Amino acid sequence: MPRYKLTIEYDGTDYVGWQMQAEGASIQRAIADAVHAFCGDTIHPYGSGRTDAGVHARGQVAHLDLSRTHDADTVRDALNAHLRPQPIAILSAKRVGSEFDARFSCIGRRYEYLILPRRAPLALMRHRAWHIPRPLDHAAMHEAAQQLVGHHDFTTFRAAACQAKSPVKTLDALRVGERSNLIVIHAAARSFLHHQVRSMAGALKWVGEGRWSADDLREALEAKDRAACPPVAPPDGLYFMEAIYPRGAEEASSEPEHAGESLGEDKA
């Protein structure tokens, strides 16, 4: 069966998250339904990470297997046609080899968390950033964030319901900067614990307000206790930005691209 890699953008505001659930609309279900409408296949798209309810994506990756080979651009355009008017877009579709797995082939994931600190409520950025009605010291947030970079036990920043076997993760980067009046938290790692990025964002917000210092953040990390974590940041500001794969992971099989072409836990 031909396998395709999809790169996906979505606004997660009105969805229960990536993963199909018994109730509520999910991104995974919407894509599966679009595939069925396109070619009649009943499939299960596999994502590189499971975003929570309300979380967005600019570069989510999924793979799926179809019963027939289609031109990759046809797959992209047909799925987008059937996804309308939902706020989900297939940015690209690519034929890949059968060994490619969106989740298990992935060697890195990048997230951004957006905060808009201003007195006025949000209009255009409503549900797309965390509104904080006071200034934040983003330089202090960045300096403190470096306490979390590296190989640590992140129990403090892990959801109680997290299903990961170990709380130990390696955080490759955690940067805080400013862009167009937004405070942007950038996090990169091979994988994340459930609510890890939102938990870290909530703690960094306390630093930005002056309630915590870098030492307080380090002590919270070393406590290895969920009770030591400040309130978790809301999902509105979180974006899955990119899934990273090793060179050669997407190598397609030897089957011609146009053969039979149709005309027609990781949770951050």
Side-chain angles (χ1 to χ4, degrees), residues 95-240:
R95 179 75 188 280
V96 293
S98 60
E99 297 301 311
F100 175 81
D101 187 290
R103 179 184 175 190
F104 294 109
S105 300
C106 185
I107 60 170
R109 295 167 175 85
R110 292 198 309 111
Y111 284 85
E112 282 189 355
Y113 194 93
L114 305 184
I115 301 174
L116 186 48
R118 72 181 193 191
R119 183 67 177 174
L122 304 189
L124 297 179
M125 291 296 290
R126 185 169 177 259
H127 299 310
R128 292 177 176 83
W130 187 10
H131 176 228
I132 305 295
R134 64 188 67 87
L136 297 176
D137 185 342
H138 65 85
M141 294 167 69
H142 175 75
E143 181 181 357
Q146 306 320 299
Q147 301 289 334
L148 303 180
V149 176
H151 190 68
H152 303 290
D153 181 327
F154 283 97
T155 295
T156 298
F157 303 96
R158 176 190 193 186
C162 180
Q163 297 178 358
K165 294 181 180 179
S166 170
V168 177
K169 293 288 181 182
T170 300
L171 186 61
D172 297 321
L174 188 62
R175 299 191 297 271
V176 184
E178 194 172 29
R179 184 176 72 215
S180 301
N181 299 319
L182 289 163
I183 291 178
V184 182
I185 301 172
H186 170 88
R190 184 182 186 95
S191 62
F192 291 88
L193 300 166
H194 191 189
H195 286 177
Q196 183 179 346
V197 175
R198 289 169 56 193
S199 297
M200 295 188 300
L204 290 173
K205 180 247 193 186
W206 274 22
V207 173
E209 293 174 326
R211 298 172 64 178
W212 266 16
S213 67
D215 288 341
D216 292 322
L217 187 63
R218 185 184 65 253
E219 289 174 6
L221 173 69
E222 293 173 349
K224 302 176 186 177
D225 182 356
R226 183 63 178 170
C229 186
V232 176
D236 309 48
L238 185 59
Y239 294 76
F240 187 112

Side-chain angles (χ1 to χ4, degrees), residues 253-267:
S253 64
S254 59
E255 184 179 353
E257 172 71 20
H258 296 278
E261 178 182 338
S262 170
L263 299 178
E265 169 123 357
D266 172 81
K267 297 174 71 176

Side-chain angles (χ1 to χ4, degrees), residues 73-94:
D73 287 348
T74 298
V75 173
R76 178 199 61 205
D77 294 343
L79 295 186
N80 282 330
H82 290 292
L83 284 165
R84 295 189 186 101
Q86 298 181 82
I88 304 171
I90 308 302
L91 301 180
S92 66
K94 180 180 180 180

